[in-house]
Amino acid sequence: MGMKEKIAEIHAHFSDEMQSLDSTQSLESLRVKVLGKKGELTALLRGMGQLSPEERPQAGQMINEAREKFTGMLDEKLREFKAREQEEALKKETIDVTQPCDEPAHGSAHPLTLCLNEMVDCFTGMGFEVVEGPEVELDHYNFELMNIPKNHPARDAQDTFYIDDNIVLRTHTSPMQVRYARTHQPPIKVISPGRTYRVDSDATHSPMFHQVEGLWLDTDISFTDLKGVYSDFLRCFFETNDLVVRFRPSYFPFTEPSVEVDMMFTSGPRKGKWLEISGAGEVHPNVVRNYGLDPEKYIGFAFGSGLERLTMLRYGVDDLRLFFEGDLRFLRQFN
C-alpha cells in the first residue's frame, strides 16, 4: 500500500470518528491517536526512512498536508465544543434577580471603639477638647518632662519598648500634656486618647493598650474639681447613678498629691466590689514648669484611664486578649 492510500485510510477513519465526538475530552483523545507522538500520522512520518530518496519529498508533503487538514478540523470542532459548553454554563449560572436573597453580613464598630466614642462624648460634654499625639515618642517628652528623669525607679515600672536611647514607644499619652500646654495658653482642658505600649502580656494586660489622658489647668482648679469631673464621667459612661467612687492616696512622679480612683457598683452582679479605674492627681509643680508656666499661678489636675479596663467592666469581659484576637463569635455580640 502506497503512502497516498495509507493517508486516505487514516483520513477515512479520522472522519468517521469526528462524527461521533461529543466532548472536548473525546476530541483530545482523537488528536493524540492521530497526531500525537505515537499517533498514526506520526508513525508514517517516522517510516519515511524506508522510502527511496525520490519518494521522500512527495510523501513528506502529503503527510504535512494531512496534518494541517486534521489539525484544522480538530480546532474547528474544539471551538464548537467550547461555544456549546459556554452556553450551557451561562444557562446554569443565570441569576434570577427577582428571587429574594439573604441579607449580606454587616460589620460593626469594635467594642473598644464603641467605648472610646462614649468616653469622648462624656468628656466633651463637660467642655474637654480632644487632642492626639505621636505614638513613637522622644524619651524627653515621655519621661523627663513628666518628672521622670534618667535612672528614676518609676522607669522600671513602665517596662518600656526602646527604639534607641532617646526614642521609645510611648508608655502613656501623658506627653501630650506638655506638647499641648507649650503651644496653648491656659485655661487648658483636654483629653488625649490613643494607643500606648508596655512590655506586659496576660489576661488583664497587653503590650499594646489604649489610654485616655485628661488635663485641666487654670488659676483656680482644685482637687474637688477632679473628684467631681471624674465621678460625673463614670456615671455618664456606665449610665447609672448606682456606683460609689473613692480616691485612695498613691504616688505618681507627675502628680502631687496623687490618688488611685476606685469604683464600686451598689447593685447588680458586681455589687460591693471595689474596682481600680484610674490614676490621677494634681499636676506636679515641676511638670507645670515644663509646660513653660508658673506653678505658683497655675494649678490643675490630670488623670489617666485605661480604655480596656473600662470596656471590660462595661461589658463584663474577663480576658483582655479577646479584644485583639479577632474572633467573630466574640465581636458579633457588640453589633
Side-chain angles (χ1 to χ4, degrees):
M1 183 183 298
M3 182 63 68
K4 186 175 182 179
E5 288 76 14
K6 291 180 180 178
I7 292 176
E9 184 178 4
I10 293 174
H11 184 276
H13 294 158
F14 180 83
S15 298
D16 290 342
E17 293 193 40
M18 282 287 292
Q19 300 299 318
S20 61
L21 294 179
D22 58 1
S23 67
T24 54
Q25 290 82 2
S26 59
L27 183 145
E28 184 60 26
S29 297
L30 179 58
R31 184 190 297 274
V32 171
K33 178 181 177 183
V34 178
L35 302 178
K37 290 183 178 180
K38 298 181 180 180
E40 296 173 353
L41 202 62
T42 306
L44 292 182
L45 191 61
R46 290 177 176 173
M48 286 181 58
Q50 300 175 4
L51 301 178
S52 65
E54 293 79 12
E55 294 176 312
R56 289 176 191 169
Q58 185 179 6
Q61 182 179 355
M62 287 190 293
I63 293 173
N64 287 333
E65 289 175 352
R67 176 179 292 276
E68 291 179 5
K69 185 175 182 179
F70 294 163
T71 300
M73 294 171 67
L74 289 168
D75 289 345
E76 179 63 27
K77 199 69 172 178
L78 179 61
R79 284 191 288 270
E80 291 179 14
F81 285 146
K82 291 289 186 183
R84 187 179 70 187
E85 290 175 359
Q86 184 178 24
E87 185 177 352
E88 292 175 353
L90 289 173
K91 289 180 180 179
K92 291 179 181 179
E93 296 172 8
T94 298
I95 299 174
D96 185 353
V97 296
T98 65
Q99 290 292 320
C101 64
D102 295 333
E103 280 283 336
H106 294 283
S108 64
H110 192 278
L112 292 177
T113 303
L114 293 172
C115 285
L116 177 59
N117 291 340
E118 292 191 25
M119 290 181 70
V120 168
D121 287 345
C122 290
F123 281 115
T124 55
M126 291 186 279
F128 283 81
E129 180 184 353
V130 179
V131 297
E132 296 180 333
E135 295 177 24
V136 180
E137 184 60 275
L138 294 172
D139 179 284
H140 186 63
Y141 282 97
N142 194 78
F143 289 126
E144 294 182 30
L145 294 182
M146 298 307 298
N147 203 35
I148 311 176
K150 300 286 188 184
N151 302 317
H152 193 288
R155 292 201 180 207
D156 296 335
Q158 299 277 356
D159 293 325
T160 310
F161 288 102
Y162 281 89
I163 295 175
D164 61 31
D165 290 342
N166 297 311
I167 301 176
V168 302
L169 296 183
R170 67 181 180 186
T171 57
H172 43 198
T173 56
S174 303
M176 276 309 297
Q177 289 186 28
V178 182
R179 287 185 176 274
Y180 187 85
R182 284 187 167 186
T183 56
H184 295 76
Q185 289 298 314
I188 294 171
K189 196 175 183 182
V190 296
I191 58 169
S192 178
R195 285 184 289 266
T196 54
Y197 305 86
R198 296 183 191 178
V199 186
D200 204 356
S201 182
D202 55 39
T204 57
H205 298 85
S206 168
M208 186 283 293
F209 58 101
H210 298 78
Q211 188 183 64
V212 178
E213 180 85 9
L215 172 67
W216 189 358
L217 192 75
D218 206 343
T219 56
D220 57 355
I221 302 302
S222 69
F223 207 92
T224 302
D225 293 303
L226 166 62
K227 295 176 68 175
V229 164
Y230 206 82
S231 297
D232 284 349
F233 156 68
L234 290 176
R235 294 186 180 96
C236 171
F237 180 78
F238 288 102
E239 299 178 337
T240 180
N241 289 318
D242 295 333
L243 54 84
V244 178
V245 183
R246 73 180 180 187
F247 293 77
R248 288 183 293 107
S250 185
Y251 166 76
F252 300 107
F254 28 81
T255 53
E256 180 60 39
S258 303
V259 294
E260 295 277 2
V261 184
D262 299 335
M263 178 189 73
M264 180 181 71
F265 290 100
T266 57
S267 62
R270 287 165 289 180
K271 178 181 178 181
K273 293 184 179 180
W274 286 104
L275 305 165
E276 181 184 325
I277 298 297
S278 179
E282 290 193 3
V283 181
H284 196 288
N286 290 342
V287 178
V288 177
R289 290 189 186 95
N290 292 334
Y291 295 162
L293 300 172
D294 182 2
E296 296 296 327
K297 180 179 180 181
Y298 293 103
I299 190 171
F301 65 80
F303 58 84
S305 304
L307 174 61
E308 282 81 358
R309 173 71 61 86
L310 290 167
T311 305
M312 290 171 73
L313 290 173
R314 182 179 177 87
Y315 293 121
V317 177
D318 58 6
D319 193 330
L320 175 73
R321 292 167 292 194
L322 290 169
F323 292 130
F324 306 114
E325 291 175 345
D327 190 331
L328 293 179
R329 295 171 299 177
F330 172 75
L331 297 176
R332 285 194 184 105
Q333 299 176 73
F334 305 94
N335 285 352

